[in-house]
Every structure is written in structure tokens, then in C-alpha cells.
Amino acid sequence: MSIISPLQAEEIKAFLHQNQNIVITSHHNPDGDAIGSILGLYHILRGMGVPSTMIIPNDIPEFLNWLPGAAQILRYSKNPNEAKEHIKNAQVLFALDYNGSARLEKMEKHFAESQAVKVLIDHHPNPEKGFNYYFSQTAASSTAELVYEFAHAIGAQSFINTHCAINLFAGIMTDTGSFSYACSSPRTFEIVARLVSLGVKVEEVQQKVYNNFSEDRMRLMGHSLATKMRVFHEFKAAYISLTRDELKRFNYRIGDTEGLVNLPLSIKGIIFSALLVENTDFVKVSLRSSGNFPVNKICEEFFNGGGHQNAAGGKSFATITETENKFIEVLNTYKDMLNP
Ligand code: 5GP
Ligand code: MN
């Protein structure tokens, strides 16, 4: 854990007021926490009278598009030159919900070249070196929770208005599986209570985030479960693999595979789940577990990635079939840990 000192908080507050070019970034293929936390911070800074520009590497999934302020987010994939200029001129650069610049994909080089003061706000383990300030806590449920704490640290809590609260709530809700994962702490619920008292309509956020599937997405889910899920009871594990042809058949849109990886964990006895999705030049690997099985270690060791103990991701540069086989090898290697 490394949380900034009160002195550092004062420093950050001072240079936020002194500088005009403030950029807030988050990771490639953003999830609810990525979008909720950058929008939350954006609204807080706005309340402070500090304008900022939010930049992410690629598209926002449709189920997050409605979040207050989402239309203001600049996408590097759509406007590379504009995004690049903003990053080049940035005096302060916030990195939210990622612990290493590789998660910015094509935007990474601009981040690396930037001379800005870099502030990390994140809950992933082992953040990389090179930031000027670390507001980093692995035990936090989500980055959105840390944005709330950050606002308190710099004395800006009064700027958490309803729009900000909706975004922070959406970030916490999605990263905790609606408060069902081990990472929800008493502090998480205290913060959520405060956000709700600021005007968040819980049912409305739930509806908009979770009950907003396209027909194609729902059918892709059905197909994945009925025909593409392989269950290995002897290893307490399961995986779902999807090829590019299948994605095409179901008119895949960004975000459509979100949450699929969690579904096999609802099977009695299953504690380890994988989703393997074929992309143009790699297979995207998503891993989830319940209990102590450290999927971030598996992603680091086998799939060029990382993440949290119970939720991690990475990439495989082998074919989809080879990647499936590699996953089965992992099961054999870790069989004693999976099914002692
Ligand atoms: P997802 O499976 O939903 O894409 O990602 C789950 C978690 O795994 C993310 O919150 C992030 O912590 C981590 N993660 C996903 N993809 C990558 C990756 O390519 N590299 C690293 N280091 N972590 C990843
Ligand atoms: Mn997160």
C-alpha cells in the first residue's frame, strides 16, 4: 500500500490549481471501474474549477455510454492526433485503474514521452515505477473507491456531486460484482452509503448497466454456455473459448463478452474460470477465481499479463486451439492446488 502523505496531498492540490493542462487516462478496453473512476475524478476537478481532458485508448462499451460526462471522453483510436497533442501538452497526467503503461496499448508511447507530473490512482498490485505520486491500495475494492478517498485527501470531497457519485457508484458496483466479491469491505459500504445519499438511484444504475443487453449479446451468452463451455470437475475449473467467426456471427460489439468469464463460477464446485477470445493478432485471456487461487500469477507466468488474485487478464500469441491446450496444461500443473 502506498497512499500519499498529507504534505503530498497539499502539493497535488496546489499544482492542480496552478496548471491548466490536466489529462486523465485509463486502460484499453475500459470496464465500469475505468470509466466510472475517470468520470468521477473529472467531475471533482470540475467542481474545483480545474478543467481536465479524459483520454482512453479505445471505445467505451455501450452499457457505460450513458454515464454522466461519458460523451466528453476522448478516444485515442478515433482522434489520435488530438489525443496525442493533449498528452504532449499535459502538465499533470492521471493514470486510473491500471498499474503499468502497457495497458494503454498504442497510446503507451505518448504516455512514456510525456513530461507531465504523473499521478497514479489504482488498486492493482505492484504498480510500475515512474510515477511522481502513488495513490495505490491493493485492498481497495475498485479505483472508483480510491478516487473518493483521493477527493478527501485533497480536501475536495464537497465536489462529489450527484453526477460524480453516479460514476463512482458504477465503478464500485461493477468491480465488486454488485458487492458480492471478497474485496467489498466495511469502508466500501460506507462510501457507497454516502454516494447513495448524494442522489445515486441504485436500481436505475443496475438497470442501465446490467439489463441493457442487445439481443445479439444475449444470444452470444447463450451460445457460449450451451456449446462453448468446457467443464473440468476434476480440476474445479471451466473455460469458454470464442473464435472470431463466432463473434462475427453474433455481430460482436465492444463489451459484449464482458462478464462471460464469471458465469462458470456459478457452477457448484467450480473455482477457476477462463474466457479465451480470438482477436486479430492474439487471443485475449481473462481469468477469474473464487478463494485463494491466484489467477494473476497464472496470467504473469503463462499469458503475458497480470491483475488481481481473483480477476486477471493477459494475451496469448498462439492460436485459439493452442491456447485452449495451454489452459488445460495449466490445470494439470496446478491440479493439487485446484483440487487438494
Ligand atoms: P478482464 O479479464 O476483465 O479483461 O480483466 C480483469 C483484470 O485483469 C483487469 O482488471 C486487470 O487488472 C487485469 N488485466 C486484464 N488484461 C490484462 C493485461 O493484458 N495485462 C495485465 N497486466 N493485466 C490485465
Ligand atoms: Mn478496477
Side-chain angles (χ1 to χ4, degrees), residues 31 33 97 123-124 142-143 175 308:
D31 55 10
D33 192 31
D97 200 39
H123 67 139
H124 293 91
S142 54
T143 300
D175 248 30
H308 313 274

Side-chain angles (χ1 to χ4, degrees), residues 282-302:
F282 60 89
V283 175
K284 168 76 184 135
V285 177
S286 287
L287 301 184
R288 298 290 185 275
S289 69
S290 52
N292 299 327
F293 191 68
V295 291
N296 50 355
K297 298 278 181 284
I298 303 292
C299 276
E300 283 162 24
E301 197 180 334
F302 299 94

